[in-house]
Amino acid sequence: VDQPRKVYNPSSLALEGLLIEEQRTNVLLHNRDLSQSAWVKNDGPVITYDQTGLDGQASAAATVADNSTGLIAGVEQSVTIVADSATHVGMFIVGKNASPSAYPGISMQLSGGTKVEQQYTVNPANGAIVGRPSFNTGTATLIDETPDFWLFQITATNNNTNSVLKWRFFPAVNEAFSGTWDTVATGSNVIDYPQVELNTSFATSPIETGASQVTRSADDARVPIGGEFNAGEFSFVYEGTMPLSSNSGRIYEYGPSTSNRILIYRNGSNVTLLVVSGGSNVVVSSVAGPAGGDPIKVAVRIQENNVALSVNGGAPIIDTLVTIPETTVRTVGHTASGFSYGNIAAKNITEYARALSDAELQELSTL
């Protein structure tokens, strides 16, 4: 609590940045104890906590085994949802296995009305996924990996009729990687940190739960602007990840007034620089950015009637009709009032007390 959350490269262990995420709730209970009654065990799965977890904790990840031919064993947990048109996301953290004897299945189901069913086979050797025919009406993606785990998410959109969501894991759905599931397959696979986040299309970092749902508070990253700041002429470079939030997901902002601020944010697939002075908006430009969560470097020049934006080594976009506003606080990954979270990992932000040249901006924004 009240400590910076840092992200490290899973292979090199190099620091990737400060993790800045919005408030989120994991609605699954006992997500690291599948023996609890909150988890329904279908057709006799064997659960053993004998693997090191995603967080490095010994015996925190579960080996789930299907030892029965003729049945597809698995574990599931149900959550009550509103029968509306919202999108929900489930996270599945599956252990890597270079030589699997069986391939696991992951599933999210919305039921109670006109059912929405998603089922995918996972290849624990290489992180590949394939949909089960007639059961892949949503989206499943590999979102990350560590030396020992694959992190997948499934999104499902309700159709205004379903009132129950089920998160489901099956350790052995076939013995040859394909979308076809059979009851003959036996074997085991490893799972950790089951997670469901409602009313969103992307998963955030794992949230451990017990007997109750757990809400992780929003991260707060802000720094006051002091007398050392050259407000009339400066430049800055952001290095980190592209926001996961595609709708005004903040990267970096000088504020806090909505009438006087300078900000860069994700706008759909673009990165936008916006200067607001005296309530008047001047959009310097929007430049195509990478996919959400991918690395990005943004270099910005702030100077009266000479503002510029360069993204990932691209030629700077320049605006010559800009009045520079007065600002008092810097915020990273969200607005000063605590909204529009980008859900980013901010690796480095460098300020320069002068207006960088176009060539310098392009060089400094090159990955």
Side-chain angles (χ1 to χ4, degrees):
V1 178
D2 295 329
Q3 295 293 323
R5 297 192 299 138
K6 299 177 181 179
V7 183
Y8 295 88
N9 182 285
S11 299
S12 67
L13 300 182
L15 178 65
E16 289 190 338
L18 183 68
L19 188 61
I20 303 167
E21 295 180 309
E22 64 193 80
Q23 177 177 295
R24 285 292 183 90
T25 300
N26 184 0
V27 298
L28 296 182
L29 308 182
H30 296 291
N31 71 332
R32 301 191 89 181
D33 187 358
L34 302 181
S35 69
Q36 294 288 334
S37 59
W39 290 98
V40 176
K41 292 81 171 174
N42 294 315
D43 300 321
V46 178
I47 301 165
T48 308
Y49 275 90
D50 59 356
Q51 299 295 311
T52 299
L54 180 71
D55 58 354
Q57 182 178 338
S59 302
T63 298
V64 184
D66 179 350
N67 298 326
S68 62
T69 58
L71 299 170
I72 297 180
V75 294
E76 67 179 44
Q77 188 172 147
S78 298
V79 177
T80 300
I81 58 174
V82 177
D84 57 14
S85 59
T87 297
H88 311 296
V89 63
M91 185 158 61
F92 301 77
I93 301 177
V94 179
K96 289 184 174 180
N97 185 346
S99 302
S101 60
Y103 296 86
I106 59 177
S107 170
M108 249 195 3
Q109 179 193 91
L110 309 184
S111 61
T114 303
K115 187 181 295 184
V116 175
E117 179 84 19
Q118 295 187 70
Q119 298 179 0
Y120 297 86
T121 308
V122 169
N123 189 333
N126 59 17
I129 49 178
V130 61
R132 187 180 183 187
S134 302
F135 292 96
N136 55 347
T137 55
T139 303
T141 52
L142 172 67
I143 56 174
D144 203 355
E145 68 170 301
T146 73
D148 299 312
F149 291 92
W150 304 107
L151 283 71
F152 302 93
Q153 70 174 27
I154 293 178
T155 59
T157 300
N158 205 349
N159 52 24
N160 297 300
T161 69
N162 294 298
S163 57
V164 176
L165 180 152
K166 287 185 179 181
W167 183 103
R168 310 167 81 189
F169 178 72
F170 307 91
V173 297
N174 57 43
E175 295 177 349
F177 179 63
S178 74
T180 302
W181 290 16
D182 64 63
T183 60
V184 177
T186 60
S188 64
N189 277 285
V190 175
I191 193 79
D192 197 9
Y193 278 116
Q195 186 152 310
V196 168
E197 298 167 73
L198 302 181
N199 304 305
T200 183
S201 60
F202 62 89
T204 59
S205 57
I207 302 170
E208 186 169 352
T209 65
S212 302
Q213 299 176 0
V214 172
T215 298
R216 182 189 58 232
S217 298
D219 296 300
D220 187 354
R222 66 184 79 195
V223 180
I225 294 174
E228 83 291 349
F229 185 67
N230 184 11
E233 180 179 305
F234 67 99
S235 306
F236 66 89
V237 178
Y238 163 85
E239 180 180 6
T241 58
M242 181 74 163
L244 294 174
S245 304
S246 60
N247 183 18
S248 298
R250 292 300 194 270
I251 298 175
Y252 191 50
E253 178 171 335
Y254 295 84
S257 169
T258 57
S259 298
N260 293 283
R261 57 181 174 167
I262 301 165
L263 60 146
I264 50 175
Y265 64 98
R266 180 179 173 185
N267 180 15
S269 60
N270 296 325
V271 176
T272 295
L273 169 62
L274 174 64
V275 179
V276 185
S277 182
S280 297
N281 291 2
V282 177
V283 177
V284 172
S285 191
S286 291
V287 179
D294 285 354
I296 188 172
K297 288 185 77 175
V298 181
V300 173
R301 177 176 65 235
I302 301 296
Q303 185 182 42
E304 197 80 8
N305 296 324
N306 186 24
V307 172
L309 166 70
S310 176
V311 176
N312 285 0
I317 306 298
I318 302 168
D319 195 296
T320 59
L321 294 173
V322 182
T323 300
I324 307 305
E326 293 185 6
T327 57
T328 59
V329 66
R330 310 169 180 92
T331 56
V332 185
H334 59 92
T335 66
S337 54
F339 295 101
S340 299
Y341 272 79
N343 297 284
I344 62 173
K347 183 177 183 179
N348 190 45
I349 299 173
T350 305
E351 284 183 352
Y352 300 84
R354 63 182 179 87
L356 296 175
S357 68
D358 290 357
E360 288 174 314
L361 292 176
Q362 192 164 4
E363 178 182 358
L364 289 170
S365 72
T366 300
L367 287 170

